Structure formats: structure tokens, C-alpha cells
């Protein structure tokens, strides 16, 4: 089936989906993005993703290209045209096209909008969740404004490539105090030997993941004890369980960190239960 992308007002065949060479996203990584899960053809947590997008745009002083509801229409249409039942929809907004100059362009330059959607095999994700994944740790080397979901992802690209070359699925960034911040494209969690769920606070140093927010709600409904605090690599090695969260993976158990087995080396029951209950709390748009 031929894929379709939305590019600046038009639905075009994926092979012809182009942006201008002077798009500021292309030249300066001057843009932001969102990734939403698609499940049963429906977008998950659209409202929360649109709120975070609006915040990212505000922080970078990029104007909102169209109302969030209209962006939602474009995303749903892209999902529909690509016949995606389970997968992801990707939305990117950049500061637009202008003569190359670091400072913001003068006058009214419309932001560029790109939307793509693609299918993923839910069975494969479930098999991966049943096995668990390996992660490695890498030094934190990103700018401090990782709370903005910017397309400037070079450190994340390098970290995830390093993970792949080490036979792992994700890399956890570790700051100069030896504390885990988050993954290259996921938030990082552990469960202590006392059964306490621990994840880095979202006010600084990480992206406030939408999946993270929903998992905190699921955990509270399940009566789990949660601490939003930094945890060290040593604490992670000694954890009973570990897992990552993101819209593309939901809750994915981690069974090895830097080659060391976590807990009994198999996915833990807390991660499994959080994964199973996730969609009872996540918002499903009609
Ligand atoms: N942290 C980083 C650096 C990410 O890139 C992502 C997702 O892309 C996340 C965390 C998880 O965010 P979400 O749950 O909104 O997908």
C-alpha cells in the first residue's frame, strides 16, 4: 500500500513528501514534534499531546500553525489515509522556510507542518514486552532544555546507535552526579526492592512524557507507592524491576542494564500490570 504524508496543507505520496532546503527544521533543527500511539485506528491521548506541543511551541516562540483541533483532524486523516490500525502518528512543526540566518525570520513566516503515520505489529511489541529489553547507560550530553520536545535529537541518535551496537534497545542518560535522567526516546523507571516506583522528576532534566503522566495515574489507581526523584545507576542495577515508557512502547520491561540482569532477569510483575492497565486510563479520541 502506498503511504501518504501531509506536508504544508497537502496530502502527498510519501515518496514525494518534501520540505524546502531552507526549512529551518532542516537547517537548524528549529522545530518541535509529537508522536502519538494509534490503537484500533484511534489516536491515544491527543489532548495531552496537543497541550505539550503548544508548550513546546511557546517555549521556542514558534506560532501555533493551526488550532489543536484542526491539527487533530489532519492527524486522524493521515491515519485514515494510511490505513493504520495500530502504530504511530508523527507531527512536526518547524519555524518555516526563510533565507538562512540564525536569528528568527522577520515578518510573517508560516510554520511548516508535516504529519506521517505508520503501522506497527502489536504482536511483536507484546513479544518484546514478554521478553524484556536491554539498556545501556551513556553520559548525559544534551542541552538543559530537554523539557522541550525539539527535533534537535543528535545526542539521542548517537546514544541509541551506541545501544544498538551493544545489542541493547535503549540508552539511559546519566548526569554528572551519576543519576539516570531518561532514555534516548523514553522515560526511565525502576521499582526498588521495597516495591517503590521511582522515576526522575519532570520539572527539569527530562521530557515530561505523556506515557509517564498516564503511568503515574495508573500506579496511583493501583495503590503503588511512587517517588518522583532521581535514582543512581547503582540503584538501578540493584532494582527489583526496571522499565521504560513512551507512546511508541507504552510500558516496556527492562531486564538488563549494562549487561547486568535486573531482579531475576525477567520482566517484573509491576511493569507487566502497568502495561496491561495503561489503556484503561489513557484517553482515546472518538
Ligand atoms: N523522553 C524522550 C527523550 C523522548 O524522546 C520521549 C518520546 O519520544 C519520551 C521521553 C517519552 O515521551 P512520551 O511518553 O510522550 O512518548
Amino acid at each position: 500500500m502506498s503511504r501518504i504524508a501531509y506536508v504544508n496543507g497537502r496530502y502527498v505520496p510519501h515518496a514525494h513528501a518534501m520540505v524546502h532546503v531552507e526549512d529551518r527544521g532542516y537547517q537548524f533543527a528549529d522545530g518541535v514534534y509529537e508522536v502519538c500511539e494509534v490503537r484500533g485506528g484511534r489516536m491515544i491521548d491527543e489532548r495531552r499531546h496537543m497541550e505539550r506541543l503548544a508548550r513546546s511551541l511557546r517555549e521556542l516562540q514558534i506560532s501555533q500553525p493551526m488550532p489543536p483541533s484542526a491539527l487533530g483532524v489532519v492527524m486522524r486523516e493521515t491515519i485514515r489515509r494510511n490505513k493504520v490500525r495500530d502504530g504511530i502518528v508523527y507531527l512536526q512543526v518547524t519555524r518555516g522556510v526563510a533565507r538562512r540566518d540564525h536569528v528568527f525570520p522577520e515578518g510573517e513566516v508560516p510554520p511548516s507542518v508535516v504529519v506521517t503515520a505508520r503501522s506497527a505489529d502489536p504482536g511483536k511489541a507484546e513479544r518484546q514486552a514478554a521478553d524484556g529489553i536491554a539498556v545501556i547507560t551513556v553520559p548525559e550530553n544534551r542541552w538543559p532544555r530537554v523539557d522541550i520536545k525539539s527535533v534537535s535529537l543528535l545526542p539521542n541518535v548517537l546514544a541509541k546507535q551506541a545501544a544498538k551496537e551493544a545489542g541493547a534497545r535503549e540508552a539511559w542518560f546519566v548526569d554528572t552526579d551519576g543519576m539516570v535522567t531518561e532514555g534516548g526516546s523514553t522515560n526511565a523507571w525502576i521499582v526498588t526492592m521495597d516495591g517503590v516506583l521511582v522515576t526522575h522528576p519532570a520539572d527539569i532534566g527530562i521530557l515530561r512524557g505523556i506515557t509517564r503522566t498516564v503511568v503515574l495515574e495508573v500506579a496511583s489507581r493501583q495503590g503503588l507507592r511512587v517517588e518522583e526523584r532521581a535514582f543512581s545507576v547503582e540503584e538501578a542495577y540493584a532494582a527489583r524491576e526496571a522499565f521504560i515508557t513512551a507512546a511508541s512502547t507504552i510500558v516496556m520491561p527492562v531486564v538488563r542494564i549494562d549487561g547486568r540482569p535486573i531482579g531475576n532477569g525477567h520482566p517484573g510483575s509491576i511493569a507487566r500490570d502497568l502495561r496491561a492497565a495503561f489503556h484503561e486510563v489513557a484517553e482515546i479520541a472518538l
Side-chain angles (χ1 to χ4, degrees), residues 41-114:
R42 307 254 192 87
M43 216 177 348
I44 305 297
D45 281 322
E46 174 183 345
R47 180 186 59 85
R48 291 184 175 102
H49 282 281
M50 287 302 136
E51 281 173 11
R52 185 173 65 185
L53 176 78
R55 177 182 182 277
S56 296
L57 290 169
R58 257 193 329 271
E59 292 295 317
L60 296 182
Q61 299 170 56
I62 298 174
S63 54
Q64 180 89 33
M66 57 181 102
S69 57
L71 280 175
V73 169
V74 171
M75 292 167 87
R76 269 189 291 281
E77 181 62 13
T78 308
I79 292 166
R80 192 186 69 75
R81 290 190 186 221
N82 287 282
K83 299 188 172 55
V84 175
R85 269 198 67 72
D86 299 294
I88 55 156
V89 56
Y90 175 88
L91 162 68
Q92 176 173 313
V93 181
T94 76
R95 202 181 303 277
V97 177
R99 183 170 174 272
R100 188 178 184 280
D101 190 355
H102 290 69
V103 296
F104 296 173
E106 304 262 342
E108 290 289 299
V109 173
S112 300
V113 182
V114 167

Side-chain angles (χ1 to χ4, degrees), residues 128-229:
Q128 193 167 58
D131 290 346
I133 60 155
V135 308
I136 60 165
T137 59
V138 295
E140 177 67 88
N141 59 357
R142 301 175 300 161
W143 75 323
R145 293 306 311 275
V146 292
D147 55 299
I148 301 170
K149 198 164 170 63
S150 119
V151 295
S152 175
L153 291 170
L154 195 47
N156 312 58
V157 166
L158 297 178
K160 290 189 72 95
Q161 179 63 22
K164 184 179 176 186
E165 287 170 16
R169 291 288 302 186
E170 180 57 300
W172 281 3
F173 290 112
V174 178
D175 68 17
T176 46
D177 297 325
M179 299 297 190
V180 173
T181 52
E182 65 179 329
S185 62
T186 58
N187 288 120
W189 304 69
I190 57 168
V191 179
T192 67
M193 281 298 174
D194 301 332
V196 181
L197 216 51
V198 185
T199 194
H200 196 285
D203 39 11
I204 191 162
I206 67 163
L207 179 75
R208 188 185 291 275
I210 303 301
T211 319
R212 176 187 181 282
T213 299
V214 174
V215 166
L216 286 171
E217 172 66 27
V218 178
S220 119
R221 288 191 191 191
Q222 292 184 346
L224 295 170
R225 274 187 299 154
V226 180
E227 291 177 7
E228 288 184 72
R229 62 164 174 84

